[in-house]
Amino acid sequence: MIPASLNFYGGMKLKIKFDSSSARKKLENLIFFNKWARTYDNFGFGWWMRHLQEKAVEEVLPSETCKVLDVGCATGNLLLKLRTRGVCGWLFGIDISPEMIKKAKFK
């Protein structure tokens, strides 16, 4: 068993024991993306992603029955663009990071 602890933004703490190094890697990714959530929208990377998302939104044909699942939605910028343009009727986002999802919910 590999012990590990996780501190979430906001004070929540979680202690976990893993049976494998791949599970530990998943935890390391979770920690990384939770920390990055604080500044994700402020980096040059965020500008680059928004630029790519603009191009993607231009390619989507408007439809009330359209359903979009954004896997790895981060802070929800793509879903926000789709919603504000009224492109699709159903928008869903998932992400490994609860902190990214928390930011997305406020957009």
Side-chain angles (χ1 to χ4, degrees):
M1 294 291 237
I2 302 169
S5 66
L6 175 62
N7 296 320
F8 286 96
Y9 183 68
M12 188 176 99
K13 294 180 182 180
L14 182 63
K15 291 190 177 189
I16 305 170
K17 292 186 178 181
F18 293 103
D19 291 331
S20 70
S21 61
S22 65
R24 182 163 183 93
K25 183 64 179 166
K26 288 178 185 177
L27 177 65
E28 289 169 355
N29 287 337
L30 178 62
I31 292 167
F32 174 81
F33 286 107
N34 273 339
K35 287 181 181 178
W36 193 12
R38 297 177 201 162
T39 58
Y40 181 85
D41 291 329
N42 303 334
F43 279 107
F45 176 76
W47 175 88
W48 182 73
M49 286 300 293
R50 286 188 296 276
H51 176 72
L52 290 176
Q53 291 164 350
E54 281 292 328
K55 299 293 182 190
V57 170
E58 290 171 7
E59 297 298 319
V60 177
L61 299 174
S63 168
E64 290 182 13
T65 59
C66 172
K67 295 178 183 176
V68 173
L69 172 60
D70 186 357
V71 178
C73 68
T75 61
N77 290 327
L78 175 60
L79 296 171
L80 178 62
K81 286 181 192 315
L82 291 168
R83 184 182 74 203
T84 56
R85 294 204 180 149
V87 174
C88 290
W90 297 90
L91 302 171
F92 305 92
I94 60 172
D95 199 279
I96 188 175
S97 168
E99 296 300 323
M100 292 281 195
I101 295 294
K102 191 185 302 183
K103 291 219 173 228
K105 285 181 179 180
F106 286 103
K107 290 187 175 183

